[in-house]
């Protein structure tokens, strides 16, 4: 598939983003996606939400953040979500989104991009490796009790 347009997501994309987020394993109706979208962009000035569009249809989603760290000379670019609808996987949408992230972070002066992928998304590991990403460390997580 050629002709992938990567653009910033809009709140009006919420209905198209709902099945994409569900494909990642986090189902949410469009109104919840719309609320999260607004909160994300309002609470993190480094956040960016990109979509991959082919023939006017949103087929993929990616969220980006720049995280300042003490141990590196620049903030670290982080791809915190990347998902392409199952029927569009292998068509270049994911690659186009990752390349857009890399350009965005490089233009911001960052020297490193990181992406994490949960164990339930093992098929994505080869995708990242194919794009030049290397296994580097292990991510640990712990759910917190709500107060």
């Amino acid at each position: 598939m050629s002709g992938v347009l990567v653009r910033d997501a809009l709140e009006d994309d919420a209905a198209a983003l709902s099945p994409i987020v569900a494909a990642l394993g986090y189902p949410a109706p469009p109104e919840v996606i719309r609320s999260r979208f607004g909160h994300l962009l309002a609470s993190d000035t480094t956040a960016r939400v990109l979509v991959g569009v082919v023939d006017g249809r949103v087929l993929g989603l990616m969220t980006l953040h720049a995280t300042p760290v003490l141990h590196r000379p620049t903030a670290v670019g982080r791809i915190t979500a990347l998902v392409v609808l199952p029927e569009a996987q292998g068509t270049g949408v994911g690659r186009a989104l990752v390349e857009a992230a890399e350009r965005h972070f490089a233009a911001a002066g960052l020297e490193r991009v990181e992406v994490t992928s949960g164990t339930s998304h093992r098929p994505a590991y080869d995708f990242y490796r194919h794009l030049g990403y290397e296994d580097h460390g292990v991510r640990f997580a712990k759910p917190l009790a709500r107060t």
Side-chain angles (χ1 to χ4, degrees), residues 67-92:
T67 304
V69 293
L70 187 61
H71 60 284
R72 295 197 179 274
T74 68
V76 174
R78 294 219 162 108
I79 298 172
T80 56
L82 174 61
V83 61
V84 174
L85 286 173
E87 65 267 23
Q89 291 176 3
T91 64

Side-chain angles (χ1 to χ4, degrees), residues 50 62 64 79 96-106 113 133:
L50 300 177
M62 180 172 55
L64 309 174
I79 298 172
L97 286 164
V98 171
E99 289 172 352
E102 291 170 355
R103 286 190 304 273
H104 168 73
F105 291 135
V113 179
Y133 288 77

Side-chain angles (χ1 to χ4, degrees), residues 81-145:
L82 174 61
V83 61
V84 174
L85 286 173
E87 65 267 23
Q89 291 176 3
T91 64
V93 174
R95 175 186 290 273
L97 286 164
V98 171
E99 289 172 352
E102 291 170 355
R103 286 190 304 273
H104 168 73
F105 291 135
L110 279 60
E111 298 176 356
R112 181 182 178 91
V113 179
E114 296 178 348
V115 58
T116 57
S117 186
T119 56
S120 63
H121 303 290
R122 287 197 187 271
Y125 296 10
D126 288 335
F127 168 74
Y128 294 120
R129 290 177 184 130
H130 181 73
L131 296 180
Y133 288 77
E134 298 175 356
D135 297 35
H136 196 298
V138 176
R139 176 180 62 166
F140 296 93
K142 177 182 177 181
L144 299 175

